[in-house]
């Protein structure tokens, strides 16, 4: 059984009949999560609430280590190539039995930015999806295709370089040398249970490694990875439950900075709250680290809520900072971060101050198709970059239930131009701004 839904107004670039017939087929799942490709309906994508066909040129082959999800209670929406109409597929006949159909999405490997959300009907959904970056996906010629593009290719974060057959012996060697410190044991859990790549790097003695320190936070982010309220979904990470000792922080950091290739140590991780709540511990740790080694990059990932605390940490020897934003518009920022005792203006002040005191300054920009690429948002972002002198903009897929985010964000009145066009505008208007996905070593 399928339903015709309202079709969006055709654009000047509307797909031709031939384009539709050559597009990937829509995917759907049964109640057990088994995935099928539809025999004739084509892949659709969503930009905010708007659903439509996808141009083959805007798709990429799904990399090997991406993950497919099915979305219970959410019937998929596909395109009928004969009519161009979008249809909701609620059930199919399997051997004379009417079987409910559910939508399918993909979570992409690092470095890829999604352009469209999965096209599904959320009307019957009675739960909150776990915090993943749900992306439109289809199937054609023996290959899954996703709505997205690669913004940065970095072999340091390629899943193929994270073989646990190398990790486990490295953890054993670490325990023999250093014993069982509380912070190290927490990171061993992150590496082995949550498969955190940064935690794995600490024990493999390479690249970027984490230094989580904070149990507390001064925001209540809708998409928090380490703490979700009752009645929501399970958190993606287990938040650190203790405050690490400075001695262990310094020991782990110094060893990593001295031994690792292109070494970075980063305060502020998915398994903790806001690191600025422990700014004194971070400041004193950095001072001692820099007394013992001048190698490598010390980085801070933060919500940027306290500019003066950032100044104190920078003066201790911080090299780079990455400040998170979901929007350059105050009302959308507040609706997502739900800040406590700080506001959007403090975050902007932190970005500006970071550049003024000589930090390599990055923004972790959480991308959501249909909202991030609205014309008003692009203009606000351009103004922010020009005002603050930002060095680097991370384009990160926002991990959140799409329906939850769309319901909580204030209604935007401006047109969404597409994530790809947004990137083109940024590159044209801000040629000195680096665009990418990953933290970088700056010394």
């Amino acid at each position: 059984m399928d339903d015709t839904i309202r079709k969006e107004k055709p654009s000047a670039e509307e797909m031709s009949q031939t384009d539709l017939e050559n597009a990937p087929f829509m995917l759907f799942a049964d109640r057990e999560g088994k995935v099928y490709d539809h025999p004739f309906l084509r892949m659709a994508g969503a930009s905010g609430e708007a659903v439509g066909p996808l141009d083959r040129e805007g798709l990429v082959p799904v990399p090997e280590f991406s993950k497919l999800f099915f979305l219970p209670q959410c019937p998929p929406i596909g395109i009928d190539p004969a009519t161009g109409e979008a249809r909701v597929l609620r059930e199919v006949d399997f051997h004379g039995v009417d079987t409910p159909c559910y939508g399918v999405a993909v979570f992409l490997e690092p470095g890829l930015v999604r352009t469209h959300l999965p096209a599904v009907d959320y009307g019957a959904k009675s739960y909150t999806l776990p915090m993943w970056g749900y992306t439109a996906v289809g199937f054609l010629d023996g290959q899954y295709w996703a709505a997205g593009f690669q913004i940065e290719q970095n072999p340091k974060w390629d899943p193929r370089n994270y073989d646990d057959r190398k990790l486990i012996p490295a953890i054993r060697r670490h325990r023999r040398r250093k014993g069982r410190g509380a912070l190290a044991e927490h990171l061993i859990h992150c590496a082995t249970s949550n498969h955190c790549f940064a935690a794995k790097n600490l024990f493999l003695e390479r690249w970027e490694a984490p230094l989580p320190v904070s149990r507390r936070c001064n925001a209540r982010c809708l998409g928090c990875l380490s703490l979700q309220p009752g009645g929501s979904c399970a958190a993606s990470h287990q938040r650190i439950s203790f405050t690490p000792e400075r001695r262990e922080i310094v020991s782990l950091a110094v060893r990593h900075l001295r031994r690792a290739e292109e070494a970075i140590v980063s305060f502020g991780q998915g398994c903790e709250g806001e690191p600025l709540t422990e700014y004194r511990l971070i400041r004193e740790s950095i001072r001692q680290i820099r007394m013992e080694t001048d190698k490598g990059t010390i980085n801070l990932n933060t919500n940027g809520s306290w500019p003066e605390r950032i100044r104190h940490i920078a003066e201790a020897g911080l090299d780079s900072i990455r400040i998170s934003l979901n929007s350059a518009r105050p009302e959308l920022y507040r609706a997502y971060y739900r800040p406590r005792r700080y506001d959007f203006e403090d975050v902007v002040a932190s970005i500006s101050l970071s550049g003024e005191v000589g930090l390599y300054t990055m923004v972790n920009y959480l991308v959501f198709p249909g909202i991030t690429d609205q014309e008003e948002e692009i203009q606000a972002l351009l103004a922010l970059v020009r005002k603050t002198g930002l060095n680097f903009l991370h384009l990160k897929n926002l991990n959140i239930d799409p329906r939850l985010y769309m319901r909580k964000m204030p209604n935007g009145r401006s047109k969404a131009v597409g994530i790809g066009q947004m990137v083109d505008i940024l590159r044209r208007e801000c040629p000195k701004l680096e665009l990418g996905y990953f933290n970088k070593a700056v010394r």
Side-chain angles (χ1 to χ4, degrees), residues 131-211:
M131 301 301 165
W132 296 91
Y134 299 96
T135 303
V137 61
F139 190 81
L140 184 68
D141 297 333
Q143 171 72 59
Y144 292 108
W145 296 85
F149 60 92
Q150 190 157 46
I151 190 68
E152 182 179 352
Q153 189 170 18
N154 188 332
K156 297 186 189 70
W157 298 102
D158 189 325
R160 296 153 193 81
N161 289 327
Y162 290 83
D163 187 338
D164 283 356
R165 290 172 294 185
K166 298 179 181 178
L167 173 68
I168 301 306
I171 289 172
R172 291 186 182 126
R173 288 194 298 272
H174 178 89
R175 280 174 167 161
R176 285 197 299 269
R177 288 193 305 258
K178 307 291 287 186
R180 292 175 177 263
L183 180 55
E185 290 302 309
H186 171 83
L187 292 172
I188 287 170
H189 174 80
C190 291
T192 56
S193 296
N194 295 330
H195 295 283
C196 170
F197 284 4
K200 292 174 191 276
N201 282 339
L202 178 70
F203 303 105
L204 294 169
E205 298 183 343
R206 64 187 189 185
W207 311 330
E208 183 173 0
L211 294 172

XYZ file of all heavy atoms in Angstrom, residues 131-211:
675
model
N 21.434 8.969 18.699
C 22.140 10.122 18.135
C 23.164 9.703 17.073
O 24.357 9.511 17.352
C 22.818 10.912 19.259
C 21.838 11.425 20.302
S 20.581 12.508 19.593
C 19.374 12.562 20.906
N 22.686 9.566 15.844
C 23.518 9.265 14.687
C 23.194 10.262 13.569
O 22.150 10.922 13.596
C 23.275 7.838 14.189
C 23.649 6.760 15.161
C 22.842 6.180 16.092
C 24.927 6.140 15.309
N 23.527 5.228 16.810
C 24.815 5.183 16.348
C 26.154 6.285 14.659
C 25.884 4.394 16.755
C 27.221 5.488 15.069
C 27.084 4.567 16.100
N 24.078 10.343 12.587
C 23.879 11.256 11.459
C 23.142 10.547 10.331
O 23.771 10.025 9.406
N 21.830 10.530 10.382
C 21.009 9.765 9.435
C 21.036 10.437 8.062
O 20.739 11.619 7.925
C 19.579 9.651 9.965
C 19.521 8.940 11.293
C 19.505 9.662 12.494
C 19.527 7.560 11.364
C 19.477 9.006 13.723
C 19.495 6.897 12.586
C 19.475 7.634 13.760
O 19.451 6.978 14.969
N 21.364 9.637 7.035
C 21.593 10.139 5.678
C 20.796 9.315 4.678
O 20.674 8.093 4.829
C 23.095 10.054 5.329
O 23.845 10.794 6.306
C 23.384 10.606 3.947
N 20.267 9.982 3.647
C 19.520 9.287 2.594
C 20.427 8.305 1.859
O 21.584 8.613 1.551
C 18.948 10.305 1.607
N 19.872 7.118 1.552
C 20.657 6.066 0.902
C 19.767 5.287 -0.065
O 18.569 5.122 0.168
C 21.286 5.127 1.968
C 20.218 4.435 2.803
C 22.233 4.114 1.343
N 20.349 4.830 -1.178
C 19.648 3.992 -2.158
C 20.566 2.896 -2.667
O 21.695 2.738 -2.183
N 20.102 2.151 -3.677
C 20.858 0.988 -4.163
C 20.736 0.905 -5.684
O 19.642 1.028 -6.247
C 20.319 -0.295 -3.539
C 21.167 -1.502 -3.797
C 22.291 -1.757 -3.035
C 20.851 -2.384 -4.821
C 23.083 -2.880 -3.264
C 21.630 -3.504 -5.070
C 22.749 -3.759 -4.285
N 21.877 0.685 -6.355
C 21.899 0.537 -7.813
C 23.197 -0.142 -8.226
O 24.276 0.185 -7.701
C 21.794 1.909 -8.497
C 21.707 1.905 -10.020
C 20.387 1.302 -10.490
C 21.860 3.318 -10.580
N 23.068 -1.087 -9.172
C 24.244 -1.757 -9.751
C 25.142 -2.390 -8.693
O 26.381 -2.279 -8.733
C 25.063 -0.781 -10.612
C 24.282 -0.252 -11.807
O 23.373 -0.967 -12.278
O 24.580 0.871 -12.254
N 24.513 -3.054 -7.714
C 25.285 -3.744 -6.695
C 25.984 -2.851 -5.701
O 26.885 -3.296 -4.978
N 25.570 -1.578 -5.600
C 26.271 -0.592 -4.774
C 25.252 0.276 -4.034
O 24.255 0.705 -4.613
C 27.149 0.293 -5.682
C 27.766 1.496 -5.016
C 28.871 1.133 -4.060
O 29.855 0.517 -4.451
N 28.719 1.489 -2.791
N 25.521 0.546 -2.753
C 24.741 1.526 -2.016
C 25.242 2.930 -2.375
O 26.450 3.147 -2.520
C 24.882 1.315 -0.502
C 24.259 0.035 0.004
C 25.059 -1.031 0.414
C 22.878 -0.107 0.075
C 24.500 -2.203 0.886
C 22.307 -1.281 0.550
C 23.108 -2.323 0.939
O 22.552 -3.487 1.401
N 24.294 3.874 -2.473
C 24.617 5.258 -2.806
C 24.040 6.176 -1.738
O 22.903 5.998 -1.307
C 24.050 5.641 -4.175
C 24.648 4.848 -5.292
C 24.261 3.621 -5.747
C 25.778 5.222 -6.080
N 25.075 3.200 -6.775
C 26.013 4.166 -7.003
C 26.615 6.338 -6.126
C 27.046 4.212 -7.942
C 27.640 6.378 -7.058
C 27.845 5.334 -7.958
N 24.831 7.164 -1.318
C 24.407 8.084 -0.266
C 24.385 9.509 -0.777
O 25.144 9.884 -1.693
C 25.350 7.987 0.933
N 23.530 10.316 -0.161
C 23.436 11.734 -0.510
C 24.489 12.495 0.294
O 24.280 12.823 1.465
C 22.039 12.248 -0.193
N 25.636 12.753 -0.335
C 26.702 13.445 0.373
C 27.914 13.656 -0.507
O 27.920 13.303 -1.691
N 28.946 14.222 0.088
C 30.207 14.463 -0.621
C 31.334 14.456 0.400
O 31.114 14.645 1.598
C 30.178 15.796 -1.379
C 29.963 17.000 -0.498
C 31.038 17.704 0.030
C 28.675 17.432 -0.189
C 30.836 18.803 0.850
C 28.458 18.530 0.630
C 29.544 19.217 1.151
N 32.542 14.243 -0.079
C 33.703 14.206 0.808
C 34.279 15.607 0.934
O 34.679 16.218 -0.047
C 34.763 13.245 0.273
C 35.884 12.974 1.257
C 36.581 11.659 0.977
O 36.905 11.362 -0.152
N 36.821 10.874 2.016
N 34.323 16.120 2.147
C 34.875 17.444 2.384
C 36.367 17.373 2.703
O 37.120 18.307 2.444
C 34.116 18.165 3.518
C 34.530 19.638 3.601
C 34.334 17.482 4.854
C 34.089 20.478 2.439
N 36.822 16.232 3.254
C 38.242 16.063 3.563
C 38.561 14.583 3.609
O 37.791 13.792 4.175
C 38.588 16.710 4.904
C 40.064 16.616 5.250
C 40.414 17.276 6.580
O 39.536 17.944 7.166
O 41.566 17.107 7.031
N 39.672 14.224 3.032
C 40.145 12.847 3.085
C 41.399 12.813 3.944
O 42.384 13.481 3.657
C 40.435 12.306 1.685
C 40.726 10.825 1.650
C 40.766 10.281 0.240
O 40.910 11.022 -0.719
N 40.624 8.979 0.100
N 41.337 12.041 5.019
C 42.446 12.001 5.962
C 42.653 10.559 6.407
O 41.845 10.017 7.159
C 42.140 12.897 7.169
C 43.323 13.054 8.095
O 44.172 12.176 8.187
N 43.373 14.170 8.798
N 43.716 9.914 5.947
C 43.927 8.500 6.290
C 44.067 8.254 7.781
O 43.867 7.128 8.243
C 45.209 8.145 5.536
C 45.875 9.444 5.235
C 44.782 10.444 5.069
N 44.390 9.294 8.571
C 44.510 9.103 10.018
C 43.190 8.670 10.645
O 43.177 8.075 11.721
C 44.994 10.388 10.681
C 46.378 10.859 10.254
C 46.788 12.058 11.085
C 48.060 12.693 10.564
N 47.842 13.367 9.271
N 42.066 9.019 10.003
C 40.756 8.673 10.552
C 40.039 7.629 9.721
O 38.835 7.419 9.876
C 39.912 9.935 10.707
C 40.544 10.900 11.657
C 41.248 12.028 11.334
C 40.585 10.807 13.085
N 41.708 12.652 12.462
C 41.316 11.920 13.554
C 40.063 9.896 14.001
C 41.535 12.141 14.918
C 40.280 10.119 15.353
C 41.015 11.232 15.798
N 40.767 6.969 8.829
C 40.192 5.899 8.021
C 39.968 4.673 8.905
O 40.904 4.190 9.556
C 41.153 5.553 6.875
C 40.552 4.597 5.864
O 39.768 3.712 6.260
O 40.879 4.723 4.667
N 38.742 4.147 8.979
C 38.483 2.987 9.841
C 39.395 1.800 9.568
O 39.631 0.974 10.457
C 37.022 2.639 9.519
C 36.419 3.921 9.050
C 37.519 4.626 8.307
N 39.926 1.705 8.362
C 40.814 0.594 8.021
C 42.116 0.650 8.803
O 42.839 -0.356 8.876
C 41.093 0.595 6.517
C 39.841 0.342 5.676
C 39.939 0.960 4.285
N 38.659 0.983 3.611
C 37.704 1.901 3.808
N 37.904 2.875 4.689
N 36.572 1.857 3.171
N 42.429 1.802 9.376
C 43.654 1.963 10.163
C 43.428 1.722 11.651
O 44.288 2.070 12.470
C 44.235 3.365 9.946
C 44.828 3.524 8.562
O 45.357 2.568 7.991
N 44.736 4.717 8.004
N 42.276 1.155 12.008
C 41.955 0.934 13.425
C 41.623 -0.534 13.669
O 40.500 -0.898 13.991
C 40.807 1.860 13.850
C 41.247 3.307 13.902
C 41.268 4.089 12.752
C 41.703 3.867 15.086
C 41.703 5.406 12.786
C 42.142 5.179 15.141
C 42.136 5.944 13.985
O 42.578 7.245 14.021
N 42.638 -1.358 13.499
C 42.501 -2.802 13.635
C 42.710 -3.183 15.107
O 43.795 -2.989 15.661
C 43.535 -3.497 12.744
C 43.356 -5.003 12.678
O 42.741 -5.570 13.601
O 43.845 -5.613 11.705
N 41.673 -3.732 15.733
C 41.778 -4.064 17.154
C 42.768 -5.189 17.435
O 43.163 -5.387 18.598
C 40.399 -4.427 17.709
C 39.540 -3.195 17.951
O 40.048 -2.081 17.757
O 38.367 -3.353 18.337
N 43.193 -5.903 16.415
C 44.234 -6.913 16.627
C 45.564 -6.257 16.977
O 46.427 -6.880 17.591
C 44.369 -7.793 15.382
C 43.171 -8.710 15.167
C 43.239 -9.424 13.846
N 43.135 -8.492 12.723
C 43.065 -8.861 11.435
N 43.137 -10.152 11.131
N 42.968 -7.965 10.486
N 45.720 -4.977 16.619
C 46.893 -4.208 17.037
C 46.626 -3.460 18.347
O 47.552 -3.218 19.124
C 47.283 -3.216 15.939
C 47.683 -3.870 14.627
C 48.027 -2.821 13.579
C 48.416 -3.473 12.253
N 48.720 -2.459 11.203
N 45.370 -3.084 18.560
C 45.029 -2.293 19.740
C 45.212 -3.082 21.039
O 45.799 -2.566 21.999
C 43.578 -1.808 19.634
C 43.018 -1.113 20.869
C 43.715 0.215 21.092
C 41.510 -0.914 20.747
N 44.707 -4.296 21.094
C 44.730 -5.051 22.359
C 46.150 -5.286 22.867
O 46.430 -5.057 24.052
C 43.953 -6.377 22.204
C 42.498 -6.091 21.794
C 44.005 -7.180 23.488
C 41.762 -5.124 22.709
N 47.097 -5.704 22.006
C 48.477 -5.811 22.504
C 49.039 -4.465 22.961
O 49.818 -4.420 23.932
C 49.244 -6.345 21.288
C 48.213 -7.024 20.448
C 46.966 -6.234 20.628
N 48.641 -3.370 22.289
C 49.126 -2.050 22.696
C 48.596 -1.685 24.086
O 49.321 -1.086 24.900
C 48.698 -1.007 21.670
N 47.344 -2.022 24.375
C 46.780 -1.764 25.701
C 47.524 -2.587 26.760
O 47.840 -2.083 27.848
C 45.274 -2.083 25.717
C 44.511 -1.030 24.898
C 44.740 -2.142 27.144
C 43.046 -1.350 24.698
N 47.833 -3.832 26.447
C 48.581 -4.672 27.403
C 49.954 -4.070 27.686
O 50.414 -4.045 28.838
C 48.720 -6.088 26.842
C 47.397 -6.857 26.775
C 47.636 -8.283 26.359
N 46.375 -9.014 26.236
C 45.995 -9.679 25.153
N 46.806 -9.744 24.090
N 44.837 -10.310 25.110
N 50.630 -3.578 26.644
C 51.944 -2.956 26.841
C 51.820 -1.723 27.722
O 52.667 -1.486 28.604
C 52.561 -2.587 25.488
C 53.031 -3.781 24.663
C 53.920 -3.332 23.509
N 53.220 -2.471 22.570
C 52.513 -2.912 21.518
N 52.423 -4.229 21.296
N 51.924 -2.065 20.709
N 50.767 -0.931 27.488
C 50.566 0.278 28.292
C 50.368 -0.082 29.758
O 50.967 0.558 30.651
C 49.351 1.055 27.774
C 49.057 2.286 28.586
N 49.614 3.509 28.307
C 48.289 2.463 29.693
C 49.197 4.390 29.205
N 48.384 3.784 30.045
N 49.580 -1.079 30.049
C 49.332 -1.465 31.434
C 50.603 -1.981 32.107
O 50.831 -1.730 33.302
C 48.230 -2.518 31.493
C 46.820 -1.930 31.380
C 45.773 -3.008 31.290
N 44.421 -2.470 31.494
C 43.315 -3.101 31.110
N 43.402 -4.295 30.507
N 42.132 -2.569 31.335
N 51.430 -2.704 31.344
C 52.690 -3.191 31.928
C 53.605 -2.031 32.288
O 54.275 -2.059 33.336
C 53.395 -4.137 30.957
C 52.775 -5.520 30.858
C 53.734 -6.502 30.219
N 54.094 -6.114 28.860
C 53.454 -6.502 27.762
N 52.392 -7.296 27.867
N 53.857 -6.119 26.571
N 53.633 -0.998 31.447
C 54.534 0.134 31.678
C 53.992 1.104 32.723
O 54.727 1.604 33.558
C 54.753 0.904 30.369
C 55.615 0.204 29.341
C 56.016 1.184 28.253
N 54.850 1.822 27.652
C 54.325 1.495 26.471
N 54.877 0.521 25.759
N 53.278 2.126 26.000
N 52.670 1.415 32.640
C 52.104 2.524 33.397
C 51.128 2.104 34.491
O 50.665 2.952 35.257
C 51.379 3.481 32.432
C 52.217 3.947 31.253
C 53.335 4.868 31.674
C 52.820 6.220 32.067
N 53.904 7.188 32.356
N 50.783 0.826 34.558
C 49.798 0.402 35.552
C 48.379 0.724 35.106
O 48.102 0.895 33.927
N 47.469 0.833 36.081
C 46.053 0.992 35.783
C 45.521 2.303 36.360
O 44.711 2.300 37.287
C 45.255 -0.188 36.335
C 45.547 -1.509 35.626
C 44.814 -2.661 36.284
N 45.025 -3.908 35.570
C 44.193 -4.414 34.670
N 43.085 -3.776 34.353
N 44.465 -5.570 34.083
N 45.943 3.413 35.802
C 45.424 4.705 36.224
C 43.962 4.870 35.846
O 43.477 4.288 34.871
N 43.237 5.678 36.615
C 41.796 5.828 36.395
C 41.489 6.393 35.014
O 40.569 5.931 34.324
C 41.200 6.723 37.484
N 42.239 7.412 34.582
C 41.975 8.019 33.275
C 42.312 7.041 32.154
O 41.554 6.903 31.190
C 42.775 9.311 33.115
C 42.598 10.049 31.787
C 41.133 10.352 31.502
C 43.433 11.329 31.777
N 43.422 6.349 32.286
C 43.792 5.373 31.261
C 42.753 4.264 31.157
O 42.379 3.839 30.056
C 45.170 4.779 31.564
N 42.247 3.791 32.313
C 41.236 2.732 32.271
C 39.938 3.226 31.636
O 39.261 2.486 30.908
C 40.974 2.204 33.687
C 42.132 1.414 34.273
C 42.504 0.210 33.414
O 41.593 -0.580 33.067
O 43.697 0.059 33.087
N 39.582 4.479 31.918
C 38.404 5.060 31.259
C 38.599 5.066 29.743
O 37.692 4.703 28.983
C 38.176 6.485 31.770
C 37.131 7.239 31.003
N 35.778 7.120 31.255
C 37.246 8.119 29.966
C 35.098 7.895 30.428
N 35.967 8.508 29.641
N 39.782 5.445 29.291
C 40.047 5.520 27.850
C 40.170 4.132 27.229
O 39.855 3.961 26.045
C 41.300 6.353 27.600
C 41.128 7.845 27.934
C 42.461 8.575 27.845
C 40.097 8.496 27.023
N 40.599 3.147 28.001
C 40.593 1.767 27.495
C 39.156 1.326 27.224
O 38.861 0.702 26.196
C 41.298 0.825 28.489
C 42.812 1.069 28.443
C 40.989 -0.642 28.172
C 43.584 0.379 29.551
N 38.247 1.674 28.136
C 36.832 1.367 27.897
C 36.328 2.083 26.650
O 35.609 1.492 25.823
C 36.006 1.780 29.118
C 34.534 1.629 28.906
N 33.880 0.415 29.006
C 33.575 2.540 28.580
C 32.589 0.581 28.757
N 32.384 1.864 28.498
N 36.686 3.354 26.497
C 36.275 4.108 25.295
C 36.803 3.439 24.025
O 36.098 3.347 23.020
C 36.784 5.543 25.370
S 35.997 6.554 26.638
N 38.048 2.975 24.068
C 38.682 2.380 22.890
C 38.082 1.036 22.540
O 37.872 0.719 21.358
C 40.184 2.243 23.119
N 37.781 0.225 23.546
C 37.362 -1.153 23.279
C 35.853 -1.332 23.227
O 35.359 -2.176 22.485
C 37.939 -2.098 24.343
O 37.532 -1.648 25.649
C 39.459 -2.127 24.274
N 35.106 -0.546 24.008
C 33.645 -0.701 24.041
C 32.940 0.288 23.123
O 32.005 -0.072 22.411
C 33.125 -0.532 25.477
O 33.635 -1.547 26.310
N 33.374 1.552 23.135
C 32.763 2.568 22.281
C 33.488 2.736 20.952
O 33.032 3.491 20.100
C 32.731 3.914 23.006
C 31.835 3.888 24.219
O 30.852 3.147 24.267
N 32.165 4.693 25.231
N 34.624 2.059 20.797
C 35.418 2.118 19.565
C 35.760 3.549 19.169
O 35.686 3.928 18.003
C 34.711 1.366 18.429
C 34.596 -0.103 18.700
N 35.663 -0.958 18.546
C 33.566 -0.846 19.161
C 35.283 -2.191 18.887
N 34.021 -2.146 19.272
N 36.121 4.335 20.176
C 36.559 5.710 19.943
C 37.933 5.701 19.283
O 38.906 5.172 19.850
C 36.611 6.453 21.280
S 37.389 8.071 21.185
N 38.028 6.271 18.093
C 39.294 6.265 17.359
C 40.370 7.052 18.107
O 41.535 6.650 18.135
C 39.099 6.871 15.969
C 38.406 5.947 14.992
C 37.922 4.713 15.388
C 38.251 6.317 13.670
C 37.287 3.867 14.490
C 37.624 5.477 12.756
C 37.143 4.253 13.170
N 39.988 8.189 18.715
C 40.983 8.986 19.428
C 41.554 8.201 20.606
O 42.771 8.231 20.845
C 40.362 10.298 19.903
N 40.695 7.493 21.344
C 41.189 6.686 22.459
C 42.116 5.582 21.961
O 43.136 5.275 22.590
C 40.016 6.099 23.243
N 41.779 4.968 20.853
C 42.662 3.951 20.284
C 44.032 4.547 19.959
O 45.086 3.918 20.177
C 42.032 3.361 19.019
C 40.773 2.523 19.257
C 40.147 2.106 17.928
C 38.768 1.501 18.087
N 38.772 0.078 18.422
N 44.044 5.784 19.448
C 45.311 6.425 19.079
C 46.240 6.580 20.268
O 47.467 6.500 20.125
C 45.046 7.807 18.475
C 44.576 7.738 17.037
O 44.796 6.752 16.347
N 43.931 8.802 16.585
N 45.674 6.838 21.455
C 46.530 7.003 22.628
C 47.385 5.767 22.848
O 48.595 5.862 23.106
C 45.672 7.274 23.867
C 46.448 7.407 25.176
C 47.254 8.700 25.191
C 45.513 7.345 26.375
N 46.789 4.589 22.736
C 47.507 3.350 23.008
C 48.333 2.894 21.807
O 49.343 2.209 21.981
C 46.512 2.278 23.448
C 45.728 2.709 24.653
C 44.401 3.111 24.530
C 46.330 2.762 25.896
C 43.685 3.542 25.631
C 45.622 3.197 27.010
C 44.298 3.592 26.878
N 47.926 3.307 20.615
C 48.712 3.003 19.419
C 49.829 4.020 19.201
O 50.604 3.905 18.248
C 47.791 2.959 18.194
C 46.772 1.813 18.196
C 45.740 2.005 17.079
C 47.450 0.463 18.059
N 49.881 5.050 20.065
C 50.955 6.054 20.081
C 51.078 6.777 18.747
O 52.155 6.838 18.149
C 52.276 5.414 20.509
C 52.222 4.837 21.910
C 53.547 4.253 22.372
O 54.426 4.004 21.517
O 53.694 4.023 23.596
N 49.972 7.395 18.328
C 49.982 8.124 17.061
C 48.875 9.189 17.059
O 47.898 9.110 17.803
C 49.755 7.157 15.893
C 48.389 6.519 15.954
C 48.180 5.459 14.931
N 46.781 5.048 14.919
C 46.303 4.052 14.179
N 47.104 3.353 13.403
N 45.014 3.763 14.215
N 49.085 10.249 16.264
C 48.038 11.200 15.867
C 47.320 11.840 17.066
O 47.968 12.209 18.026
C 47.085 10.546 14.873
C 47.782 9.854 13.747
C 48.992 10.193 13.205
C 47.341 8.684 13.057
N 49.325 9.307 12.200
C 48.336 8.385 12.086
C 46.219 7.863 13.134
C 48.216 7.309 11.210
C 46.090 6.788 12.260
C 47.084 6.512 11.322
N 46.001 11.995 16.978
C 45.269 12.726 18.017
C 44.756 11.784 19.100
O 44.111 10.773 18.815
C 44.086 13.484 17.409
C 43.337 14.333 18.434
C 42.266 15.214 17.828
O 42.074 15.179 16.602
O 41.606 15.946 18.602
N 44.996 12.179 20.354
C 44.554 11.384 21.505
C 43.726 12.264 22.439
O 43.900 13.481 22.484
C 45.758 10.805 22.247
N 42.818 11.654 23.211
C 41.894 12.428 24.046
C 42.357 12.576 25.485
O 43.040 11.714 26.029
C 40.619 11.571 23.987
C 41.141 10.155 23.894
C 42.475 10.222 23.186
N 41.914 13.684 26.126
C 42.153 13.909 27.541
C 40.848 14.410 28.183
O 40.703 15.590 28.502
C 43.269 14.936 27.752
C 44.678 14.532 27.307
C 45.625 15.718 27.410
C 45.202 13.358 28.142
